[in-house]
Amino acid sequence: MYYLILLVVYSLAQIALGVWIGRRVRTTRDFFVAGRSLGPGLLFSTMLAANIGAGSTVGAAALGYRDGLAAVWWVGAASIGSLVLALWVGPAMRRTAAAHDLRTVGDFLEFRFGVGVRTTLSVLLWAGSIFILAAQLIAIATILNVVVGLRLAAGCVLGGFLITIYFTAGGLLTSAWVNVVQLTVKLIGFAIALPLALSRAGGWSAVAALHPTRDYWSLWHRGESGILYLAVLGPAFVVSPGLLQKIYGARDDRTVRVGVGLNAASLAAYAMVPVVLGMIARVRFPELASPQLALPTVLKEGLPAVVGGLGLAAVFSAELSSADAALFMLTTSLSQDLYRRFVAPHASDAQLLRITRITAVAAGTLGVLVALVAASVITALTIFYTLMSVSLFVPIVGGLYVPAARSREAMGAVVAGVATVVVRQFVFGGARVYGITPAMAGLAAATGVFAVLLALRRGSES
Protein backbone atom coordinates (compact mmCIF):
# COMPACT_ATOMS: atom_id res chain seq x y z
CA MET A 1 0.00 0.00 0.00
CA TYR A 2 2.92 2.35 0.75
CA TYR A 3 4.26 2.05 -2.79
CA LEU A 4 0.82 2.60 -4.33
CA ILE A 5 0.19 5.74 -2.28
CA LEU A 6 3.63 7.09 -3.17
CA LEU A 7 3.17 6.60 -6.92
CA VAL A 8 -0.39 7.99 -6.88
CA VAL A 9 0.65 11.15 -5.02
CA TYR A 10 3.66 11.59 -7.29
CA SER A 11 1.53 11.15 -10.41
CA LEU A 12 -1.05 13.67 -9.24
CA ALA A 13 1.71 16.18 -8.51
CA GLN A 14 3.03 15.87 -12.06
CA ILE A 15 -0.44 16.33 -13.53
CA ALA A 16 -0.96 19.43 -11.38
CA LEU A 17 2.38 20.92 -12.45
CA GLY A 18 1.68 20.16 -16.10
CA VAL A 19 -1.76 21.79 -16.02
CA TRP A 20 -0.40 24.83 -14.18
CA ILE A 21 2.45 25.37 -16.68
CA GLY A 22 0.01 24.69 -19.54
CA ARG A 23 -1.90 27.87 -18.70
CA ARG A 24 1.00 29.82 -20.25
CA VAL A 25 0.60 28.05 -23.61
CA ARG A 26 -1.48 30.22 -25.92
CA THR A 27 -0.08 29.51 -29.40
CA THR A 28 1.21 26.57 -31.43
CA ARG A 29 4.66 28.16 -31.29
CA ASP A 30 4.55 27.76 -27.51
CA PHE A 31 3.24 24.20 -27.81
CA PHE A 32 5.62 22.96 -30.53
CA VAL A 33 8.90 24.78 -29.76
CA ALA A 34 8.34 26.44 -26.34
CA GLY A 35 8.65 29.86 -27.99
CA ARG A 36 12.27 28.94 -28.92
CA SER A 37 13.20 30.07 -25.41
CA LEU A 38 14.80 27.00 -23.77
CA GLY A 39 18.15 27.67 -22.11
CA PRO A 40 20.96 25.12 -21.53
CA GLY A 41 19.54 23.91 -18.21
CA LEU A 42 16.03 23.23 -19.45
CA LEU A 43 17.28 21.69 -22.70
CA PHE A 44 19.67 19.43 -20.76
CA SER A 45 16.98 18.26 -18.35
CA THR A 46 14.34 17.60 -20.99
CA MET A 47 16.84 15.77 -23.24
CA LEU A 48 18.26 13.59 -20.46
CA ALA A 49 14.83 12.93 -19.01
CA ALA A 50 13.65 11.73 -22.42
CA ASN A 51 16.75 9.56 -22.93
CA ILE A 52 16.61 7.83 -19.55
CA GLY A 53 13.42 5.94 -20.22
CA ALA A 54 12.14 2.41 -20.60
CA GLY A 55 15.07 1.18 -22.66
CA SER A 56 17.72 2.64 -20.36
CA THR A 57 16.08 1.50 -17.11
CA VAL A 58 13.82 -1.57 -17.28
CA GLY A 59 15.22 -2.64 -20.67
CA ALA A 60 18.93 -2.13 -19.90
CA ALA A 61 18.59 -3.80 -16.48
CA ALA A 62 16.90 -6.77 -18.18
CA LEU A 63 19.81 -6.99 -20.63
CA GLY A 64 22.31 -6.74 -17.77
CA TYR A 65 20.48 -9.53 -15.93
CA ARG A 66 20.50 -11.77 -19.02
CA ASP A 67 23.61 -10.76 -21.01
CA GLY A 68 25.95 -9.14 -18.52
CA LEU A 69 28.49 -6.38 -19.12
CA ALA A 70 27.90 -6.04 -22.89
CA ALA A 71 24.51 -4.51 -22.07
CA VAL A 72 26.33 -1.25 -21.25
CA TRP A 73 26.31 -0.46 -24.98
CA TRP A 74 22.54 0.11 -24.93
CA VAL A 75 22.98 3.43 -23.10
CA GLY A 76 26.59 3.87 -24.26
CA ALA A 77 25.46 4.04 -27.88
CA ALA A 78 22.90 6.70 -26.95
CA SER A 79 25.68 8.74 -25.33
CA ILE A 80 27.86 8.61 -28.46
CA GLY A 81 24.93 9.49 -30.73
CA SER A 82 24.03 12.40 -28.42
CA LEU A 83 27.58 13.73 -28.62
CA VAL A 84 27.37 13.85 -32.43
CA LEU A 85 24.01 15.61 -32.08
CA ALA A 86 25.46 18.17 -29.65
CA LEU A 87 28.51 19.12 -31.66
CA TRP A 88 27.41 18.89 -35.30
CA VAL A 89 23.85 18.01 -36.29
CA GLY A 90 21.98 19.81 -33.48
CA PRO A 91 23.35 23.35 -33.93
CA ALA A 92 22.96 23.15 -37.72
CA MET A 93 19.39 21.94 -37.41
CA ARG A 94 18.50 24.64 -34.85
CA ARG A 95 19.80 27.42 -37.12
CA THR A 96 17.84 26.12 -40.08
CA ALA A 97 14.67 25.73 -38.02
CA ALA A 98 14.91 29.22 -36.52
CA ALA A 99 15.68 30.87 -39.86
CA HIS A 100 12.67 29.30 -41.61
CA ASP A 101 10.25 28.90 -38.66
CA LEU A 102 10.34 25.10 -38.90
CA ARG A 103 8.47 23.30 -36.12
CA THR A 104 8.81 19.61 -36.91
CA VAL A 105 11.30 17.36 -38.68
CA GLY A 106 8.67 17.04 -41.40
CA ASP A 107 8.94 20.79 -41.98
CA PHE A 108 12.69 20.41 -42.53
CA LEU A 109 12.26 17.47 -44.92
CA GLU A 110 9.78 19.41 -47.05
CA PHE A 111 11.99 22.50 -46.95
CA ARG A 112 14.97 20.51 -48.29
CA PHE A 113 13.40 17.78 -50.42
CA GLY A 114 9.73 18.53 -51.07
CA VAL A 115 6.38 17.21 -49.94
CA GLY A 116 6.89 13.66 -51.29
CA VAL A 117 9.84 12.93 -48.99
CA ARG A 118 8.07 14.59 -46.08
CA THR A 119 4.95 12.48 -46.52
CA THR A 120 6.81 9.20 -46.97
CA LEU A 121 9.00 9.68 -43.91
CA SER A 122 6.16 11.04 -41.80
CA VAL A 123 4.17 7.84 -42.34
CA LEU A 124 7.18 5.71 -41.40
CA LEU A 125 7.87 7.77 -38.32
CA TRP A 126 4.26 7.68 -37.15
CA ALA A 127 4.53 3.90 -37.15
CA GLY A 128 7.89 3.95 -35.38
CA SER A 129 6.81 6.53 -32.80
CA ILE A 130 3.87 4.37 -31.78
CA PHE A 131 6.30 1.58 -30.88
CA ILE A 132 8.50 3.79 -28.70
CA LEU A 133 5.43 5.11 -26.89
CA ALA A 134 4.22 1.54 -26.44
CA ALA A 135 7.61 0.53 -25.00
CA GLN A 136 7.40 3.19 -22.31
CA LEU A 137 3.87 2.13 -21.42
CA ILE A 138 4.96 -1.53 -21.17
CA ALA A 139 7.69 -0.47 -18.72
CA ILE A 140 5.22 1.58 -16.65
CA ALA A 141 2.86 -1.39 -16.55
CA THR A 142 5.70 -3.72 -15.51
CA ILE A 143 6.53 -1.48 -12.55
CA LEU A 144 2.91 -1.24 -11.45
CA ASN A 145 2.51 -5.00 -11.83
CA VAL A 146 5.47 -5.74 -9.55
CA VAL A 147 4.72 -2.99 -7.03
CA VAL A 148 0.97 -3.26 -6.56
CA GLY A 149 -0.02 -6.34 -8.54
CA LEU A 150 -1.86 -4.31 -11.19
CA ARG A 151 -2.48 -6.26 -14.37
CA LEU A 152 -0.28 -5.25 -17.31
CA ALA A 153 -3.21 -4.11 -19.43
CA ALA A 154 -4.53 -1.87 -16.67
CA GLY A 155 -1.02 -0.48 -16.10
CA CYS A 156 -0.68 0.45 -19.78
CA VAL A 157 -4.03 2.26 -19.69
CA LEU A 158 -3.16 4.12 -16.48
CA GLY A 159 0.26 5.20 -17.78
CA GLY A 160 -1.22 6.36 -21.07
CA PHE A 161 -3.85 8.40 -19.25
CA LEU A 162 -1.29 10.10 -17.02
CA ILE A 163 1.12 11.27 -19.73
CA THR A 164 -1.69 12.31 -22.08
CA ILE A 165 -3.21 14.59 -19.45
CA TYR A 166 -0.11 16.58 -18.55
CA PHE A 167 1.34 16.64 -22.08
CA THR A 168 -1.91 17.81 -23.67
CA ALA A 169 -1.95 20.78 -21.31
CA GLY A 170 1.11 22.46 -22.80
CA GLY A 171 3.28 20.42 -25.15
CA LEU A 172 7.04 21.06 -25.08
CA LEU A 173 6.83 23.84 -22.49
CA THR A 174 4.94 21.62 -20.04
CA SER A 175 7.16 18.62 -20.73
CA ALA A 176 10.36 20.61 -20.19
CA TRP A 177 9.34 21.76 -16.70
CA VAL A 178 7.80 18.45 -15.63
CA ASN A 179 10.97 16.75 -16.90
CA VAL A 180 13.03 18.84 -14.44
CA VAL A 181 11.09 17.28 -11.56
CA GLN A 182 11.29 13.81 -13.09
CA LEU A 183 15.04 14.08 -13.72
CA THR A 184 15.68 15.23 -10.15
CA VAL A 185 13.78 12.23 -8.78
CA LYS A 186 15.68 9.88 -11.12
CA LEU A 187 19.13 11.11 -10.17
CA ILE A 188 18.46 11.11 -6.43
CA GLY A 189 16.66 7.77 -6.56
CA PHE A 190 19.36 5.90 -8.47
CA ALA A 191 22.19 7.56 -6.49
CA ILE A 192 20.74 6.22 -3.25
CA ALA A 193 19.37 2.89 -4.48
CA LEU A 194 22.45 1.58 -6.34
CA PRO A 195 25.02 1.49 -3.52
CA LEU A 196 22.49 0.18 -1.01
CA ALA A 197 21.28 -2.56 -3.39
CA LEU A 198 24.91 -3.52 -4.04
CA SER A 199 25.62 -3.70 -0.33
CA ARG A 200 22.58 -5.90 0.32
CA ALA A 201 23.64 -8.26 -2.47
CA GLY A 202 26.97 -8.89 -0.71
CA GLY A 203 29.06 -6.16 -2.31
CA TRP A 204 30.88 -6.06 -5.62
CA SER A 205 32.62 -9.35 -4.91
CA ALA A 206 29.27 -11.16 -4.98
CA VAL A 207 28.38 -9.55 -8.32
CA ALA A 208 31.84 -10.24 -9.76
CA ALA A 209 31.40 -13.91 -8.86
CA LEU A 210 28.53 -14.18 -11.36
CA HIS A 211 29.43 -16.48 -14.25
CA PRO A 212 26.15 -17.81 -15.65
CA THR A 213 27.74 -17.91 -19.11
CA ARG A 214 31.33 -17.93 -20.38
CA ASP A 215 31.13 -14.43 -21.88
CA TYR A 216 28.91 -12.76 -19.24
CA TRP A 217 31.76 -10.31 -18.50
CA SER A 218 32.66 -9.57 -22.11
CA LEU A 219 32.35 -5.86 -22.86
CA TRP A 220 32.02 -6.35 -26.61
CA HIS A 221 29.46 -9.08 -27.15
CA ARG A 222 27.11 -11.40 -25.31
CA GLY A 223 23.78 -12.66 -26.66
CA GLU A 224 21.98 -9.80 -28.37
CA SER A 225 23.96 -7.17 -26.46
CA GLY A 226 27.26 -5.64 -27.46
CA ILE A 227 29.04 -2.96 -29.44
CA LEU A 228 26.76 -3.54 -32.43
CA TYR A 229 24.17 -1.48 -30.55
CA LEU A 230 26.20 1.48 -31.86
CA ALA A 231 24.85 0.76 -35.34
CA VAL A 232 21.26 0.28 -34.14
CA LEU A 233 21.01 3.07 -31.58
CA GLY A 234 23.76 5.59 -32.35
CA PRO A 235 22.24 7.03 -35.55
CA ALA A 236 18.77 7.04 -33.99
CA PHE A 237 19.91 9.41 -31.23
CA VAL A 238 21.39 11.75 -33.84
CA VAL A 239 18.18 12.15 -35.88
CA SER A 240 15.33 11.27 -33.50
CA PRO A 241 12.44 13.64 -34.35
CA GLY A 242 11.52 13.92 -30.68
CA LEU A 243 15.03 15.06 -29.74
CA LEU A 244 15.44 17.34 -32.76
CA GLN A 245 12.14 19.07 -31.98
CA LYS A 246 13.39 19.76 -28.46
CA ILE A 247 16.45 21.34 -30.06
CA TYR A 248 14.11 23.51 -32.15
CA GLY A 249 13.08 25.07 -28.83
CA ALA A 250 16.65 26.13 -27.92
CA ARG A 251 17.35 29.82 -27.96
CA ASP A 252 20.82 29.63 -29.59
CA ASP A 253 23.61 27.29 -30.76
CA ARG A 254 25.45 27.50 -27.45
CA THR A 255 22.37 26.18 -25.70
CA VAL A 256 22.41 23.15 -28.00
CA ARG A 257 26.11 22.45 -27.55
CA VAL A 258 26.01 22.81 -23.76
CA GLY A 259 22.61 21.29 -23.05
CA VAL A 260 22.89 18.31 -25.38
CA GLY A 261 26.60 17.87 -24.60
CA LEU A 262 25.85 17.59 -20.87
CA ASN A 263 23.14 15.10 -21.75
CA ALA A 264 25.71 12.98 -23.63
CA ALA A 265 28.17 13.11 -20.73
CA SER A 266 25.45 12.18 -18.24
CA LEU A 267 24.37 9.21 -20.33
CA ALA A 268 27.98 7.98 -20.42
CA ALA A 269 28.19 8.25 -16.62
CA TYR A 270 24.83 6.53 -16.19
CA ALA A 271 25.39 3.67 -18.66
CA MET A 272 26.61 1.15 -16.06
CA VAL A 273 23.88 1.90 -13.49
CA PRO A 274 21.01 -0.20 -14.91
CA VAL A 275 23.42 -2.95 -15.98
CA VAL A 276 24.79 -3.31 -12.45
CA LEU A 277 21.26 -3.26 -11.01
CA GLY A 278 20.36 -6.06 -13.42
CA MET A 279 23.41 -8.04 -12.26
CA ILE A 280 22.45 -7.45 -8.62
CA ALA A 281 19.02 -8.85 -9.43
CA ARG A 282 20.73 -11.89 -10.96
CA VAL A 283 22.60 -12.44 -7.68
CA ARG A 284 19.60 -12.06 -5.43
CA PHE A 285 16.76 -13.31 -7.64
CA PRO A 286 18.28 -15.79 -10.12
CA GLU A 287 14.97 -17.44 -11.00
CA LEU A 288 12.90 -14.47 -12.19
CA ALA A 289 10.14 -15.38 -14.63
CA SER A 290 11.32 -12.64 -17.00
CA PRO A 291 14.46 -10.44 -17.14
CA GLN A 292 12.14 -7.44 -17.49
CA LEU A 293 11.22 -7.92 -13.83
CA ALA A 294 14.85 -7.46 -12.70
CA LEU A 295 14.80 -3.73 -11.96
CA PRO A 296 11.39 -3.36 -10.27
CA THR A 297 12.01 -6.55 -8.25
CA VAL A 298 15.40 -5.48 -6.91
CA LEU A 299 14.00 -2.08 -5.95
CA LYS A 300 10.93 -3.46 -4.20
CA GLU A 301 12.25 -6.69 -2.66
CA GLY A 302 15.95 -5.89 -2.27
CA LEU A 303 15.81 -2.53 -0.46
CA PRO A 304 14.17 -0.91 2.59
CA ALA A 305 10.70 0.40 1.79
CA VAL A 306 11.66 4.09 1.86
CA VAL A 307 14.69 3.67 -0.43
CA GLY A 308 12.90 1.18 -2.67
CA GLY A 309 9.98 3.56 -3.01
CA LEU A 310 12.31 6.37 -4.07
CA GLY A 311 13.98 4.06 -6.57
CA LEU A 312 10.64 2.98 -7.99
CA ALA A 313 9.59 6.62 -8.26
CA ALA A 314 12.83 7.24 -10.17
CA VAL A 315 12.07 4.44 -12.62
CA PHE A 316 8.46 5.58 -12.90
CA SER A 317 9.76 9.07 -13.72
CA ALA A 318 12.05 7.63 -16.38
CA GLU A 319 9.22 5.90 -18.17
CA LEU A 320 6.89 8.90 -17.97
CA SER A 321 9.46 11.37 -19.32
CA SER A 322 10.32 9.16 -22.29
CA ALA A 323 6.66 8.44 -22.93
CA ASP A 324 5.81 12.13 -23.12
CA ALA A 325 8.75 12.64 -25.52
CA ALA A 326 7.33 9.94 -27.79
CA LEU A 327 3.84 11.43 -27.53
CA PHE A 328 5.27 14.86 -28.37
CA MET A 329 7.00 13.48 -31.46
CA LEU A 330 3.89 11.70 -32.64
CA THR A 331 1.41 14.49 -31.89
CA THR A 332 3.32 17.36 -33.44
CA SER A 333 4.02 15.33 -36.56
CA LEU A 334 0.40 14.30 -37.02
CA SER A 335 -1.00 17.78 -36.44
CA GLN A 336 1.66 19.71 -38.38
CA ASP A 337 2.64 17.19 -41.09
CA LEU A 338 -0.83 15.82 -41.75
CA TYR A 339 -3.56 18.20 -40.60
CA ARG A 340 -1.97 21.55 -41.39
CA ARG A 341 -0.18 20.37 -44.54
CA PHE A 342 -2.99 18.43 -46.21
CA VAL A 343 -6.32 18.86 -44.39
CA ALA A 344 -6.54 22.51 -43.34
CA PRO A 345 -3.55 24.55 -44.57
CA HIS A 346 -5.34 27.80 -43.73
CA ALA A 347 -6.39 26.84 -40.21
CA SER A 348 -5.97 29.56 -37.61
CA ASP A 349 -3.43 29.17 -34.84
CA ALA A 350 -6.20 28.57 -32.30
CA GLN A 351 -7.76 25.87 -34.47
CA LEU A 352 -4.40 24.13 -34.93
CA LEU A 353 -3.71 24.19 -31.19
CA ARG A 354 -7.11 22.63 -30.50
CA ILE A 355 -6.55 19.91 -33.13
CA THR A 356 -3.07 19.26 -31.73
CA ARG A 357 -4.50 18.58 -28.28
CA ILE A 358 -7.18 16.30 -29.72
CA THR A 359 -4.46 14.49 -31.68
CA ALA A 360 -2.47 14.00 -28.47
CA VAL A 361 -5.40 12.16 -26.90
CA ALA A 362 -5.85 9.97 -29.99
CA ALA A 363 -2.11 9.21 -30.20
CA GLY A 364 -1.96 8.32 -26.52
CA THR A 365 -4.86 5.92 -26.99
CA LEU A 366 -3.20 4.27 -29.98
CA GLY A 367 0.03 3.87 -28.02
CA VAL A 368 -1.87 2.01 -25.30
CA LEU A 369 -3.41 -0.36 -27.87
CA VAL A 370 0.01 -1.21 -29.37
CA ALA A 371 1.48 -1.70 -25.87
CA LEU A 372 -1.13 -4.36 -25.18
CA VAL A 373 0.18 -6.54 -28.03
CA ALA A 374 3.93 -5.73 -28.14
CA ALA A 375 6.19 -8.52 -26.86
CA SER A 376 8.57 -6.51 -24.66
CA VAL A 377 10.27 -3.18 -24.07
CA ILE A 378 13.39 -4.10 -26.06
CA THR A 379 11.35 -5.57 -28.93
CA ALA A 380 9.28 -2.42 -29.28
CA LEU A 381 12.28 -0.08 -29.05
CA THR A 382 14.37 -2.08 -31.51
CA ILE A 383 11.60 -1.80 -34.11
CA PHE A 384 11.46 1.96 -33.62
CA TYR A 385 15.21 2.57 -33.65
CA THR A 386 15.71 0.42 -36.75
CA LEU A 387 12.98 2.23 -38.69
CA MET A 388 14.30 5.62 -37.66
CA SER A 389 17.95 4.90 -38.42
CA VAL A 390 17.47 3.45 -41.90
CA SER A 391 14.84 5.93 -43.07
CA LEU A 392 15.82 9.24 -41.49
CA PHE A 393 19.57 9.36 -40.88
CA VAL A 394 20.73 9.82 -44.47
CA PRO A 395 18.07 12.39 -45.53
CA ILE A 396 18.65 14.57 -42.46
CA VAL A 397 22.46 14.48 -42.48
CA GLY A 398 22.51 14.78 -46.27
CA GLY A 399 20.01 17.63 -46.15
CA LEU A 400 22.19 19.54 -43.70
CA TYR A 401 25.63 18.91 -45.16
CA VAL A 402 25.18 18.09 -48.87
CA PRO A 403 23.67 21.21 -50.48
CA ALA A 404 23.48 19.53 -53.90
CA ALA A 405 21.21 16.72 -52.63
CA ARG A 406 17.68 16.71 -54.03
CA SER A 407 14.44 14.80 -53.60
CA ARG A 408 15.52 11.83 -55.77
CA GLU A 409 18.58 11.11 -53.63
CA ALA A 410 16.63 11.38 -50.38
CA MET A 411 13.75 9.22 -51.58
CA GLY A 412 16.15 6.64 -53.01
CA ALA A 413 17.93 6.40 -49.65
CA VAL A 414 14.64 5.92 -47.78
CA VAL A 415 13.37 3.21 -50.15
CA ALA A 416 16.72 1.37 -50.18
CA GLY A 417 17.11 1.43 -46.40
CA VAL A 418 13.59 0.30 -45.54
CA ALA A 419 13.47 -2.31 -48.31
CA THR A 420 16.74 -3.83 -47.11
CA VAL A 421 15.45 -4.14 -43.56
CA VAL A 422 12.15 -5.65 -44.70
CA VAL A 423 13.91 -8.23 -46.90
CA ARG A 424 16.33 -9.12 -44.12
CA GLN A 425 13.42 -9.51 -41.71
CA PHE A 426 11.46 -11.86 -43.96
CA VAL A 427 14.42 -13.89 -45.23
CA PHE A 428 16.47 -14.18 -42.04
CA GLY A 429 13.91 -13.35 -39.36
CA GLY A 430 15.82 -10.27 -38.30
CA ALA A 431 18.92 -12.29 -37.32
CA ARG A 432 22.47 -11.08 -37.86
CA VAL A 433 24.16 -12.33 -41.04
CA TYR A 434 27.98 -12.44 -40.79
CA GLY A 435 27.61 -10.14 -37.79
CA ILE A 436 25.60 -7.54 -39.75
CA THR A 437 22.30 -6.48 -38.19
CA PRO A 438 19.28 -5.42 -40.29
CA ALA A 439 19.82 -1.81 -39.14
CA MET A 440 23.45 -1.85 -40.27
CA ALA A 441 22.53 -3.34 -43.64
CA GLY A 442 19.70 -0.85 -44.14
CA LEU A 443 21.86 2.14 -43.22
CA ALA A 444 24.63 0.98 -45.59
CA ALA A 445 22.12 0.53 -48.42
CA ALA A 446 20.60 3.97 -47.83
CA THR A 447 24.01 5.65 -47.81
CA GLY A 448 25.15 3.78 -50.91
CA VAL A 449 22.05 4.59 -52.97
CA PHE A 450 22.17 8.25 -51.88
CA ALA A 451 25.82 8.52 -53.00
CA VAL A 452 25.24 6.71 -56.31
CA LEU A 453 22.19 8.80 -57.27
CA LEU A 454 24.01 12.00 -56.35
CA ALA A 455 27.02 11.02 -58.48
CA LEU A 456 24.78 10.09 -61.43
CA ARG A 457 22.96 13.40 -61.33
CA ARG A 458 26.16 15.39 -61.07
CA GLY A 459 27.53 13.43 -64.01
CA SER A 460 24.46 14.16 -66.13
CA GLU A 461 24.61 17.86 -65.27
CA SER A 462 28.31 18.27 -66.10
Side-chain angles (χ1 to χ4, degrees):
M1 182 60 69
Y2 162 77
Y3 297 110
L4 177 61
I5 293 172
L6 175 68
L7 293 180
V8 167
V9 171
Y10 181 52
S11 299
L12 292 175
Q14 290 178 87
I15 290 176
L17 177 60
V19 172
W20 182 69
I21 294 294
R23 296 183 306 167
R24 297 165 52 187
V25 174
R26 294 287 183 267
T27 68
T28 53
R29 190 170 185 266
D30 294 333
F31 193 96
F32 289 144
V33 294
R36 305 195 195 277
S37 62
L38 299 184
L42 270 181
L43 184 61
F44 159 71
S45 63
T46 193
M47 292 286 284
L48 186 59
N51 287 333
I52 299 180
S56 52
T57 54
V58 173
L63 292 173
Y65 182 96
R66 187 192 69 190
D67 296 340
L69 186 61
V72 74
W73 286 103
W74 183 271
V75 179
S79 172
I80 293 171
S82 295
L83 184 62
V84 174
L85 179 61
L87 298 181
W88 292 288
V89 174
M93 182 64 84
R94 189 214 67 83
R95 288 193 299 272
T96 303
H100 301 280
D101 194 27
L102 309 179
R103 301 182 181 185
T104 68
V105 171
D107 288 344
F108 171 78
L109 293 169
E110 182 172 354
F111 167 72
R112 277 296 282 114
F113 300 118
V115 67
V117 173
R118 175 184 190 153
T119 304
T120 302
L121 282 170
S122 293
V123 171
L124 288 170
L125 291 175
W126 296 335
S129 300
I130 286 294
F131 281 99
I132 196 171
L133 176 56
Q136 315 306 324
L137 297 178
I138 292 169
I140 291 171
T142 301
I143 295 166
L144 294 175
N145 176 258
V146 172
V147 174
V148 298
L150 193 66
R151 295 179 60 183
L152 290 176
C156 288
V157 172
L158 183 60
F161 174 79
L162 174 59
I163 61 159
T164 300
I165 290 296
Y166 80 71
F167 171 77
T168 302
L172 179 57
L173 189 61
T174 293
S175 293
W177 283 103
V178 173
N179 288 164
V180 172
V181 175
Q182 293 168 336
L183 182 61
T184 302
V185 172
K186 292 179 200 180
L187 297 180
I188 294 174
F190 284 122
I192 295 174
L194 177 60
L196 189 53
L198 184 60
S199 175
R200 290 207 161 196
W204 181 251
S205 59
V207 175
L210 273 174
H211 288 286
T213 61
R214 183 174 56 85
D215 51 356
Y216 194 74
W217 288 97
S218 168
L219 176 62
W220 309 109
H221 175 68
R222 157 63 193 156
E224 295 180 7
S225 299
I227 195 171
L228 286 180
Y229 278 144
L230 275 176
V232 177
L233 304 182
F237 280 83
V238 177
V239 297
S240 167
L243 299 180
L244 288 176
Q245 284 172 222
K246 290 176 183 290
I247 285 173
Y248 282 9
R251 64 185 178 214
D252 53 32
D253 285 2
R254 177 182 175 276
T255 293
V256 177
R257 287 190 291 269
V258 174
V260 184
L262 287 174
N263 159 71
S266 299
L267 286 173
Y270 168 80
M272 276 296 294
V273 172
V275 177
V276 173
L277 285 169
M279 291 176 168
I280 291 171
R282 186 81 180 237
V283 171
R284 300 202 61 186
F285 311 100
E287 303 298 331
L288 285 180
S290 167
Q292 286 195 102
L293 300 176
L295 184 57
T297 300
V298 81
L299 292 175
K300 183 187 177 188
E301 306 295 340
L303 294 171
V306 174
V307 177
L310 183 60
L312 287 165
V315 178
F316 197 61
S317 288
E319 320 319 343
L320 291 174
S321 58
S322 285
D324 76 49
L327 187 59
F328 172 61
M329 178 166 50
L330 186 62
T331 299
T332 54
S333 181
L334 283 169
S335 58
Q336 189 82 354
D337 297 340
L338 176 62
Y339 180 79
R340 189 166 197 174
R341 183 64 182 82
F342 297 108
V343 178
H346 302 296
S348 68
D349 196 76
Q351 288 174 320
L352 184 59
L353 183 59
R354 183 172 63 254
I355 290 297
T356 299
R357 285 174 164 151
I358 293 172
T359 302
V361 175
T365 303
L366 185 56
V368 170
L369 295 176
V370 174
L372 297 179
V373 299
S376 69
V377 169
I378 295 300
T379 298
L381 287 176
T382 300
I383 291 171
F384 168 77
Y385 289 135
T386 299
L387 271 176
M388 186 161 57
S389 296
V390 303
S391 64
L392 201 56
F393 186 81
V394 173
I396 283 186
V397 174
L400 285 172
Y401 295 110
V402 185
R406 298 292 182 267
S407 175
R408 187 178 70 165
E409 290 81 44
M411 187 66 78
V414 173
V415 172
V418 173
T420 300
V421 169
V422 171
V423 170
R424 283 284 304 270
Q425 188 67 39
F426 277 102
V427 175
F428 300 106
R432 296 172 183 171
V433 178
Y434 299 111
I436 305 298
T437 67
M440 293 167 65
L443 191 56
T447 304
V449 169
F450 182 89
V452 168
L453 291 176
L454 183 63
L456 289 174
R457 185 167 56 78
R458 283 175 168 171
S460 66
E461 292 174 353
S462 60

